[in-house]
Amino acid sequence: MQLFWRRGSLLTVAVLTLGAAGVAGGMWIASRRPPAAGTAASRRATAPGARTAAPAAQPAQTEQRITIPPRSTFLAAIGAFHLDAALARQLVAAARPMYNLARVQAGHQLDLVRTLAGVPEALGYQIDAGHTLWLRAPASAAATAPWSASIEAIPFVTRLVGVAGTVETSLFQAVEQAGEHDMLAVDLANIFGWDLDFYTDTRPGDIFRVLVEKRFRHGQFAGYGQIVAAEYVNAGHPYEALRFHDRGGFLAYYQPNGRPMKREFLRSPLKFDARISSGFSYHRWQPILKYYRPHLGTDFAAPTGTPVQALGAGVVIQAGRYGEDGNMVRLRHPGGYETAYLHLSRILVHVGERVSQGQRIGLVGMTGLATGPNLHFAIQHDGKFLNFETLRKSLPPGAPVPASLRPQFDALRSRYLPELERLQPAPAVATAAAPPARNR
Ligand SMILES: [Zn+2]
């Protein structure tokens, strides 16, 4: 009947906040750092039958491309095109209303398009991943007519690419080593986050395989589209996910058996329906202490020894005796949720242990401040206590692929799973051993 547990609550909020900041920081850095081209090319396996969603723009036959060298200027860089000096100055003047070519950056590209006769017709400067400055020769033959300038968006080319890697230390490390960006690791962690905690569950030798849409502009990586199919093999146990639309047309990820990756919480911390002896309240009379204080949880009256189950998959972050709370188990779940189970007569898990949804984690008791055997259950989201009695009425069921869409889903599965399975991850560099045998 304890009102709410206090120990560790603030600490946990702080840790979660730091964790989130850490991930966001990583993403931010990664988004500004292109992968090393050599690594990417040598390690990335392209899925057999990988398609190009849009045809690559066909460069003009006469197009010539240079990459601006370090510490170069625009005029020095276009020296490689062997343009006459007057035209070069004319280009700088033509660009000025739109863009100052004194600001060109090393590593960016210049494209010169010539007519079949070799006369310069257009010059493109890639300003950033999404924009090109185009300078175009006048349509009239008059040599004095000015060139025109415009800044144009570069269209995406989307390709479905297969990527595989082996974990040495973390998913981030494995994804980077496969020549990809941190963002892909974040996307994978979101898909598998209901089954796995990538901060604690990753093991050296774990494997990821993914079919992902990659966007390119002028041959340069410009971001990820959606993950189409993915697999993560954790300590020999494979988890697979396929992108599919649900009844409402929304895209979601499903296991190959059609069940959703994202699973909701169970509707009760007890296997069997139990009477609620005291509800969630900010103002409740405490019968033992004899004063009002908030009761930020739900008490279920149940006989001592009744099994208590984990509301959802998670990690045990506390398991032990905590004063008024008695024997308590506290779990951390994906998505910023935590649940706590108080007054237990027995604790069946230990700190750091992973528990699955519905797993027995303890037995009902009356340890700590309790007038009789009961389970005090509390749930928090991002540190804020939620009223479970209201919450559980609104928990949407994790709906599987509906029967009417099953043929489509099965077709998708038989198309992508074999493609995924063919991806060969590079072995971990540290061990340089063959990837661990797959447990199938
Ligand atoms: Zn209580």
Side-chain angles (χ1 to χ4, degrees):
M1 289 243 217
Q2 168 55 5
L3 310 180
F4 64 105
W5 79 93
R6 289 165 227 89
R7 291 163 195 81
S9 297
L10 284 172
L11 177 66
T12 306
V13 173
V15 168
L16 286 172
T17 309
L18 282 173
V23 170
M27 284 156 52
W28 186 78
I29 292 161
S31 65
R32 312 171 98 242
R33 187 182 62 223
T39 324
S42 57
R43 294 253 172 74
R44 187 184 307 126
T46 300
R51 301 150 309 130
T52 299
Q58 287 300 309
Q61 289 161 307
T62 56
E63 188 170 318
Q64 189 186 354
R65 168 173 291 182
I66 58 163
T67 299
I68 298 172
R71 291 178 298 279
S72 182
T73 63
F74 172 72
L75 288 175
I78 63 166
F81 291 138
H82 303 290
L83 302 175
D84 67 64
L87 176 57
R89 283 193 301 274
Q90 204 186 333
L91 290 173
V92 174
R96 197 172 301 279
M98 299 297 295
Y99 190 83
N100 182 358
L101 284 173
R103 295 205 312 245
V104 293
Q105 291 180 312
H108 289 219
Q109 286 167 335
L110 286 163
D111 291 286
L112 182 68
V113 182
R114 295 176 197 261
T115 63
L116 290 174
V119 178
E121 203 173 33
L123 180 80
Y125 168 67
Q126 174 222 326
I127 297 170
D128 57 34
H131 300 91
T132 302
L133 167 73
W134 278 107
L135 300 169
R136 290 194 172 83
S140 99
T144 53
W147 282 49
S148 65
S150 60
I151 290 176
E152 296 168 20
I154 306 169
F156 283 127
V157 173
T158 303
R159 292 195 199 100
L160 186 63
V161 172
V163 184
T166 306
V167 170
E168 286 166 43
T169 56
S170 71
L171 182 60
F172 283 98
Q173 160 270 317
V175 163
E176 268 197 8
Q177 209 156 297
E180 298 295 332
H181 296 255
D182 283 12
M183 199 58 219
L184 183 61
V186 173
D187 290 346
L188 284 168
N190 282 336
I191 291 173
F192 293 108
W194 293 87
D195 293 300
L196 295 165
D197 179 338
F198 283 94
Y199 285 100
T200 56
D201 290 344
T202 45
R203 297 285 175 269
D206 280 3
I207 290 166
F208 79 87
R209 295 180 170 89
V210 59
L211 293 172
V212 60
E213 295 166 352
K214 286 181 78 171
R215 292 175 181 156
F216 297 89
R217 278 185 172 126
H218 283 185
Q220 282 208 320
F221 177 70
Y224 293 104
Q226 294 219 30
I227 288 175
V228 169
E231 179 183 52
Y232 189 85
V233 184
N234 177 235
H237 182 84
Y239 297 85
E240 287 164 326
L242 287 158
R243 181 189 63 173
F244 193 64
H245 54 88
D246 69 7
R247 245 182 293 238
F250 296 107
L251 288 168
Y253 289 91
Y254 295 86
Q255 302 171 45
N257 63 11
R259 300 210 61 82
M261 294 301 289
K262 182 177 176 173
R263 276 183 298 287
E264 306 301 343
F265 290 124
L266 295 174
R267 274 137 208 275
S268 173
L270 293 167
K271 292 261 187 216
F272 310 101
D273 254 354
R275 183 177 62 86
I276 291 175
S277 54
S278 182
F280 185 94
S281 164
Y282 286 101
H283 187 73
R284 189 192 70 157
W285 177 253
Q286 216 296 330
I288 296 177
L289 301 175
K290 303 203 187 305
Y291 58 77
Y292 287 95
R293 64 178 186 182
H295 186 246
L296 303 180
T298 305
D299 293 343
F300 295 91
T304 296
T306 304
V308 173
Q309 60 183 353
L311 204 69
V315 181
V316 179
I317 52 174
Q318 276 178 284
R321 184 87 186 207
Y322 293 90
E324 293 182 356
D325 298 345
N327 290 327
M328 176 180 72
V329 171
R330 213 163 136 218
L331 306 178
R332 190 181 75 211
H333 307 282
Y337 287 96
E338 285 182 22
T339 53
Y341 313 76
L342 278 60
H343 311 312
L344 305 172
S345 59
R346 272 190 69 196
I347 290 174
L348 304 174
V349 289
H350 52 84
V351 171
E353 185 177 340
R354 265 205 70 78
V355 295
S356 52
Q357 187 175 61
Q359 184 178 327
R360 247 186 214 217
I361 53 172
L363 303 177
V364 170
M366 53 179 295
T367 52
L369 191 65
T371 50
N374 82 98
L375 173 72
H376 173 102
F377 172 75
I379 181 165
Q380 281 179 296
H381 185 243
D382 290 341
K384 184 182 183 297
F385 287 93
L386 306 177
N387 183 345
F388 185 63
E389 296 136 74
T390 342
L391 180 75
R392 69 172 174 172
K393 287 183 196 128
S394 64
L395 283 178
V401 172
S404 58
L405 295 177
R406 197 62 206 219
Q408 270 175 272
F409 179 77
D410 290 345
L412 193 83
R413 185 183 59 187
S414 34
R415 175 172 165 191
Y416 287 130
L417 283 192
E419 270 191 39
L420 205 58
E421 297 308 308
R422 279 197 288 268
L423 296 173
Q424 287 302 315
V429 169
T431 57
R438 305 196 53 223
N439 251 346
R440 271 278 153 94

